[in-house]
Amino acid sequence: MPELRRLDLNDIDEPPLPVRVAMDEHALADLADSMAKIGLLQPIIVKPVDGRFEIECGHRRFLAAASLGWKEIPALIFEPTELASGAAMLAENICREDITAAEEALLFAQAQERFSLDEAGLVAMFRRSPDYIGDRLRLLREDPEVFGALNRRVITFSVARELNKITDEQMRRYYLDAAIRGGANTRTVAGWRQQWLASQSPATNPGVGAEPATELPAEPTTTLGCFLCGGSLDPWNLDSVYIHKWEREQIIKMLKQAAEV
């Protein structure tokens, strides 16, 4: 059975890999303000490690208490064998504050390495479906730039999944930058991906009796170029601009005239 005691904050260590990788400073300040007014409603959970105590659940409450200058904090002390290490931490953080799928992926990977768990072991520990866990672990194997953007909370999990379906790295980074700067949602990114897929598909011959498809001018499939300078370097800094054809022709005409002067 766990033991409830008041522990000195100096005797408590933070988790080796906190699930709150990107701690929300405003939420932490709100928590500290609430604790200053009404106290701590729920003790933190710790386990003994080498004569000290390591936080299993309640990392944010611990940091809030430290910011308030508290010397002690109520804690439930569990023996390591009494805890499914990591699972309680994840469950508490999901209930108390949304965490990113990237942060979940880090926690799943930590548990998998620490306890040599297979898929079934992760499912049993965290009580999540195989698809749920697999979707998040795949983030670690795919584009690190997409993973970093998700971890910084500048894109959502569903947007990250759509971006990782784009197999061309140059185009994926281009769309990632566009999604970050434009705040694109999943539907928008899925539309971009479909456009990219369409540009990769070879033209098919029309069937018997079918009207021939209208021929379109050939366009580059994976290489983007600047409309003004024609350069294709640094494509993720290109902007998508809509312009009437006749106005584009006028701009091209003026550029040619300027070049001839």
Side-chain angles (χ1 to χ4, degrees):
M1 293 292 292
E3 177 188 2
L4 178 62
R5 285 168 48 188
R6 296 188 65 85
L7 297 180
D8 191 312
L9 266 65
N10 292 324
D11 294 333
I12 301 174
D13 295 323
E14 297 182 42
L17 180 59
V19 68
R20 295 296 314 133
V21 176
M23 192 74 71
D24 188 325
E25 293 183 0
H26 294 292
L28 188 61
D30 289 341
L31 176 60
D33 183 63
S34 173
M35 288 170 54
K37 293 177 180 177
I38 62 176
L40 184 64
L41 299 180
Q42 183 177 357
I44 65 172
I45 295 177
V46 300
K47 61 186 176 185
V49 177
D50 298 330
R52 295 179 57 80
F53 299 96
E54 183 180 294
I55 296 173
E56 187 71 21
C57 290
H59 186 207
R60 292 173 63 247
R61 281 170 279 160
F62 171 81
L63 293 177
S67 71
L68 293 171
W70 289 9
K71 301 300 182 183
E72 296 180 331
I73 190 170
L76 280 170
I77 304 171
F78 282 81
E79 291 299 321
T81 54
E82 296 179 294
L83 285 171
S85 185
M89 182 192 296
L90 176 62
E92 186 208 29
N93 279 275
I94 286 178
C95 293
R96 292 182 174 275
E97 181 183 353
D98 289 340
I99 66 173
T100 68
E103 291 165 343
E104 289 180 304
L106 289 170
L107 186 61
F108 293 152
Q110 181 196 33
Q112 190 173 40
E113 180 178 355
R114 183 176 179 183
F115 300 105
S116 301
L117 297 175
D118 56 11
E119 180 183 88
L122 288 173
V123 169
M125 174 176 281
F126 294 103
R127 299 182 181 180
R128 294 291 184 268
S129 70
D131 288 342
Y132 184 97
I133 293 175
D135 276 345
R136 282 145 183 82
L137 286 177
R138 272 190 292 274
L139 291 169
L140 290 171
R141 299 193 297 268
E142 294 173 333
D143 195 323
E145 293 292 329
V146 174
F147 184 86
L150 177 61
N151 195 31
R152 298 193 307 273
R153 298 177 174 240
V154 293
I155 61 172
T156 64
F157 175 47
S158 55
V159 165
R161 284 199 301 185
E162 286 297 326
L163 288 169
N164 279 329
K165 292 176 185 178
I166 301 172
T167 55
D168 183 271
E169 180 179 336
Q170 187 181 58
M171 293 300 298
R172 184 171 60 250
R173 298 289 173 81
Y174 166 72
Y175 287 131
L176 170 62
D177 182 75
I180 293 172
R181 290 188 290 110
N185 58 27
T186 309
R187 185 172 182 178
T188 298
V189 178
W192 294 344
R193 184 174 67 85
Q194 291 300 326
Q195 291 175 0
W196 171 75
L197 286 173
S199 73
Q200 310 306 299
S201 302
T204 56
N205 294 325
V208 177
E211 294 185 5
T214 303
E215 293 187 3
L216 297 175
E219 294 183 357
T221 56
T222 60
T223 303
L224 296 175
C226 176
F227 169 67
L228 291 178
C229 73
S232 59
L233 297 177
D234 200 19
W236 39 86
N237 282 328
L238 294 174
D239 273 325
S240 298
V241 177
Y242 293 96
I243 185 171
H244 290 110
K245 293 180 180 179
W246 57 87
E247 292 171 334
R248 182 186 62 185
E249 292 170 357
Q250 290 298 316
I251 293 175
I252 294 174
K253 182 178 179 181
M254 287 188 292
L255 290 174
K256 289 182 178 178
Q257 290 174 347
E260 293 171 356
V261 174

